Amino acid sequence: MKALAVFPSRREVRIIDHATPQVTGSRQVKVRVLEVGLCGTDREIAAFDYGTPPAGSDYLVLGHESLCQVVETGPEVRRLRPGDLAVLMVRRGCSHPECLACPAGRPDFCYTGEFTERGIKGEHGFMTTFVVEDESHVVPVPPALREVGVLTEPLTIAQKALAQVWEVQQRLPWACHGALEAGPGACHRAVVLGAGPVGLLGAMALVAAGFDTTVYSRGGEHSDKASLTESFGARFVPAESRSVDDLAAVTGNVDLVYEATGASRVAFDMLRLLGPNAVFVFTGVPGRKAPIEVAADLIMRRLVLHNQVILGTVNAPRQSYEDAIRDLGVFLDRWPGALRGLITLRVALDEGPRLLRERPAGIKTVVVPQ
């Protein structure tokens, strides 16, 4: 079968012939890959910034944002059957007994760093025709989400982040009186930095949770991103014409910042303006750029005097996948045009190498392996 792979030692990205996997274990599931999302991580691996092939292989099959259909199951598989839609989880835990997280089913918090990740580190990804996976890493998707289910993995980033925010904010009185029916974020203000798929899906999750939500991004006030943002009830502030200080004047006190750009200068400028008792969530990983100046004294003073919290989050547990699938259904009911509008291009597998070298003008590009 065909697959899209990178060869780090040769610095090559190309379509290859890859062995078709077979079910050999009683709890394994074989799936046909329907769609795979392309993201910044894939482009960075294709630029050879990182990415590790499995042991004994000189190449790594790319792809970690999947939507699949079950074609075969082992005899002990109970939750899935042929024909079901599903997404595949990305991270696999380490085998070290001293790691507290991985044996507890939370490899997203691995202590040793010796986890593997499909399509990223040590295990082949999903940008091919068939994949075999253990049932524990396969999450069912309702048929109604067929056209948007590939957005599950990017949304898990926001789901895990929000779960941590709710836990952190139990430290203080945060829920507003009489506003809980509007969602746990009601009466609070959130800012999303970036209007890529991770940022826009995060913004949808925040609006659904009741936050007064503003997206700060490049794109222009009359751009497609601005229109899409406003269609699901968030505010769009264009970074080209409005500074972070201007943004603060628009939003007022900010209770939550969801960073989804990997742009350190913008993030640390925004960190200066975080409100009392607020949380700043980092999800982006900056590229290798020149150092920036940071108002360290001001930031540190505000963190202490205003009880602020900074947290970083990466990968997601099974619960976040299940929450993302649930919320995709909510988004599809509330904002069908906006959710479908996130996927702006679908291409064949053969187009993958070219698109990894380019940056498409739209929001989310999806590869269809068949």
Side-chain angles (χ1 to χ4, degrees), residues 176-193:
C176 297
H177 296 297
L180 286 180
E181 65 276 3
C187 86
H188 293 297
R189 299 185 181 98
V191 168
V192 175
L193 302 180

Side-chain angles (χ1 to χ4, degrees), residues 6-321:
V6 297
F7 291 75
S9 62
R10 305 181 206 169
R11 299 182 72 83
E12 293 178 0
V13 181
R14 56 187 172 89
I15 303 297
I16 64 167
D17 288 324
H18 184 63
T20 302
Q22 304 298 327
V23 171
T24 58
S26 62
R27 293 182 56 81
Q28 287 185 330
V29 178
K30 184 176 182 178
V31 299
R32 180 186 297 275
V33 181
L34 302 176
E35 295 184 336
V36 185
L38 275 180
C39 75
T41 297
D42 299 310
R43 293 190 174 90
E44 289 164 2
I45 294 172
F48 312 105
D49 292 341
Y50 52 90
T52 307
S57 174
D58 62 347
Y59 65 86
L60 171 70
V61 175
L62 285 175
H64 58 276
E65 301 178 3
S66 69
L67 177 66
C68 309
Q69 187 169 40
V70 177
V71 296
E72 183 184 351
T73 62
E76 294 186 30
V77 172
R78 296 289 178 264
R79 291 182 295 182
L80 297 150
R81 60 184 179 181
D84 287 349
L85 295 179
V87 294
L88 307 180
M89 296 172 61
V90 177
R91 185 174 287 192
R92 312 289 176 267
C94 73
S95 58
H96 294 279
E98 67 270 22
C99 180
L100 300 177
C102 292
R106 293 303 301 265
D108 52 312
F109 286 117
C110 179
Y111 280 85
T112 68
E114 296 189 20
F115 53 82
T116 60
E117 291 178 318
R118 286 283 208 159
I120 302 172
K121 180 188 175 187
E123 290 203 45
H124 290 309
F126 310 135
M127 211 164 288
T128 186
T129 309
F130 295 102
V131 173
V132 169
E133 185 56 271
D134 188 87
E135 181 186 18
S136 62
H137 296 125
V138 185
V139 187
V141 173
L145 297 183
R146 168 63 180 87
E147 61 183 319
V148 295
V150 72
L151 298 173
T152 298
E153 195 278 338
L155 180 54
T156 64
I157 299 169
Q159 297 293 349
K160 179 183 173 184
L162 279 173
Q164 292 180 74
V165 167
W166 306 141
E167 291 185 20
V168 166
Q169 294 302 70
Q170 290 180 29
R171 66 197 171 116
L172 77 160
W174 208 57
C176 297
H177 296 297
L180 286 180
E181 65 276 3
C187 86
H188 293 297
R189 299 185 181 98
V191 168
V192 175
L193 302 180
V198 171
L200 290 172
L201 285 165
M204 287 183 179
L206 290 166
V207 172
F211 285 93
D212 179 340
T213 304
T214 301
V215 175
Y216 182 66
S217 174
R218 292 185 175 276
E221 59 184 334
H222 302 298
S223 65
D224 291 343
K225 287 183 178 180
S227 298
L228 190 148
T229 299
E230 290 162 1
S231 74
F232 62 82
R235 184 184 300 108
F236 187 90
V237 176
E240 294 93 336
S241 57
R242 308 291 290 271
S243 69
V244 170
D245 292 294
D246 293 334
L247 171 67
V250 170
T251 62
N253 224 28
V254 177
D255 302 295
L256 173 63
V257 176
Y258 179 75
E259 179 277 325
T261 64
S264 54
R265 182 177 299 279
V266 174
F268 279 88
D269 280 349
M270 189 67 212
L271 194 54
R272 294 184 295 113
L273 305 172
L274 204 59
N277 308 317
V279 181
F280 194 110
V281 180
F282 280 99
T283 75
V285 179
R288 297 171 182 171
K289 300 175 183 176
I292 64 168
E293 291 187 5
V294 175
D297 288 347
L298 174 61
I299 291 171
M300 185 173 175
R301 184 181 303 115
R302 291 182 62 84
L303 282 168
V304 173
L305 297 181
H306 292 280
N307 298 297
Q308 296 167 343
V309 172
I310 301 173
L311 66 88
T313 183
V314 66
N315 202 266
R318 186 183 183 94
Q319 184 62 55
S320 294
Y321 280 81

Side-chain angles (χ1 to χ4, degrees), residues 322-334:
E322 293 173 351
D323 291 345
I325 290 165
R326 177 203 64 210
D327 277 2
L328 283 176
V330 172
F331 301 166
L332 194 59
D333 285 341
R334 293 183 63 176

